[in-house]
Amino acid sequence: MQRLKLWKSGWQLLKLSFEGASTQVSKPSRKYSQGPSPFGLLFDIDGVLVRGRTPIPAAKQCFKKLVDHNGKYKVPVVFVTNAGNCMRQTKAEHLSQLLEAEVSADQVMLSHSPLRMFTQFHKMCVLVSGQGPVKEVAHNLGFEDVVTIDMLREAYPLLDIVDVDRRPKDMIPPTKGLRKIDAVILFGEPVRWETNLQLIVDVLLTSGCPGNDWNAVQYPHIPVLACNMDLLWMAEAKNPRFGHGMFLVCLENLYKKVTGHDLKYEALIGKPSVVTYNYAELLIRQQAEKLGWTTPVKRLYAIGDNPMADIYGANLYNRYLQTAHLTKGRPVEAPTESAVSQMFPSGPGRSAGISGAEDELPEGCSSILVCTGVYSKDQEELPADPTETVTEQKIFHGHRDFRFDPDLTQPSFVVDDVKEAVELVFHQEGWPLE
């Protein structure tokens, strides 16, 4: 089996599912670019453009230069975030207000956006975990039969009893029961971790019927799809805050402590997953066409603050692009187990690896690390020797299923802030920014 052929079916599915989304974009002509050096920008949000609800001053300055006097972007721009507690339109409106520049929903990619392509789960009954309008988000992504944690609590009132104030008082209410749950979708960190952890484990140990007895013998469990693997993220506080990756660590360890088995993921989505960058590259191409460009985007620049998510992911995608170009036009042997685990931790069929036609892929993706978020020069210097980046003593913050490669934590460039990052890119490409 050829590696690129293996991934093309997923790519075609992605294009079809995206074209059916609420934002309609005409089919790209593959002939777009404005200048001699076509490129696109992928911006992380938290720690790069904002800290919580506060915009980073350099971000406003940067975007004043990125748009012309008519408010039109000079180059294709897409915002790629591991956040997932809202709708794309809501995030776009929030960014427009903070950056004082127009941001459209089709420029925003949330951690769960690629779930549009997982159509095999869309007709299943799925339990969704996270915060914000999770049911609305799930329906918008294509899921038809959605159960929330709150719905599960109400149906089985005896399951959630950690908080004494939430325990049933006096007469125990009857169990309503729900239809069997076929899969679990983890959008992001919930508000009440103890409730979500308890009920998700109940669902996994009862094969989707939490009113039944636990049965740890039934393994593997029903499918679990997780978005956003960030262990830490940066808000207004001086130090990083726990992210959804930390919640996943808790869930994985609780499940193994109870059953003796590893929790298995059907898919891990969000940075640093390659499927996320494939999807982002599709959005860049669509933005380029809107700008009236006439040749394909050749290079991507991913700007982020988290070495274990933004930098690792951009570099992993760059490695994927190099492999795709090297193997273009000639037979390719099936990927080794090591290669598969690097590209798609759950295997290519499980995490739905995707790719476009080889001649449409960018030449490469450069990673730019800013010092306004998770990474800070004051707290941590990147060593010259990549093998010293992470040791057993200095903990790897990536997800359990991503086999660590120290080379992938090394950014192409390190700058102070996003304004300096954009100036660097335009200088590299020979474009005037003013």
Side-chain angles (χ1 to χ4, degrees), residues 89-257:
Q89 184 60 46
T90 303
K91 179 65 75 174
E93 292 170 358
H94 183 58
L95 284 172
S96 298
Q97 181 181 6
L98 290 177
L99 300 175
E100 297 178 358
E102 175 102 25
V103 176
S104 63
D106 55 2
Q107 286 179 283
V108 175
M109 180 176 171
L110 303 173
S111 62
H112 50 61
S113 295
L115 284 175
R116 291 181 186 279
M117 66 178 289
F118 287 76
T119 54
Q120 67 269 38
F121 296 99
H122 287 178
K123 292 188 181 298
M124 293 183 180
C125 178
V126 297
L127 174 68
V128 294
S129 168
Q131 57 182 289
V134 289
K135 191 172 185 179
E136 184 182 2
V137 167
H139 284 309
N140 182 261
L141 292 168
F143 296 97
E144 299 176 10
D145 193 356
V146 180
V147 175
T148 66
I149 293 292
D150 283 340
M151 291 169 62
L152 200 62
R153 284 186 60 249
E154 293 173 6
Y156 300 95
L158 296 182
L159 297 185
D160 181 26
I161 63 166
V162 171
D163 185 343
V164 175
D165 292 335
R166 283 165 54 126
R167 293 180 185 176
K169 305 295 190 296
D170 302 323
M171 186 172 62
I172 298 175
T175 296
K176 299 176 184 176
L178 286 173
R179 54 237 183 242
K180 179 180 179 297
I181 293 169
D182 302 308
V184 178
I185 312 292
L186 308 176
F187 283 137
E189 62 270 24
V191 175
R192 285 178 170 267
W193 286 33
E194 78 283 357
T195 294
N196 288 59
L197 290 169
Q198 175 71 76
L199 269 60
I200 291 169
V201 169
D202 283 330
V203 167
L204 295 179
L205 291 181
T206 59
S207 296
C209 302
N212 294 347
D213 293 336
W214 279 9
N215 185 356
V217 177
Q218 290 188 359
Y219 187 80
H221 49 72
I222 62 174
V224 178
L225 295 84
C227 311
N228 182 359
M229 295 165 272
D230 285 353
L231 193 76
L232 302 168
W233 69 288
M234 208 67 184
E236 287 96 341
K238 291 183 178 179
N239 296 307
R241 304 292 85 196
F242 292 166
H244 191 224
M246 198 72 77
F247 178 82
L248 297 181
V249 169
C250 294
L251 179 62
E252 291 156 10
N253 282 279
L254 282 172
Y255 183 83
K256 186 161 188 176
K257 192 73 172 178

Side-chain angles (χ1 to χ4, degrees), residues 40-107:
L41 297 173
L42 303 177
F43 287 96
D44 180 39
I45 297 176
D46 293 301
V48 175
L49 305 177
V50 299
R51 293 279 292 267
R53 292 170 295 178
T54 305
I56 293 171
K60 280 189 177 181
Q61 300 167 21
C62 165
F63 275 80
K64 284 180 181 178
K65 294 185 176 183
L66 266 180
V67 297
D68 62 21
H69 61 280
N70 294 319
K72 182 179 179 181
Y73 285 88
K74 297 176 181 178
V75 297
V77 167
V78 169
F79 302 88
V80 185
T81 176
N82 267 350
N85 58 357
C86 65
M87 305 287 284
R88 287 196 307 162
Q89 184 60 46
T90 303
K91 179 65 75 174
E93 292 170 358
H94 183 58
L95 284 172
S96 298
Q97 181 181 6
L98 290 177
L99 300 175
E100 297 178 358
E102 175 102 25
V103 176
S104 63
D106 55 2
Q107 286 179 283

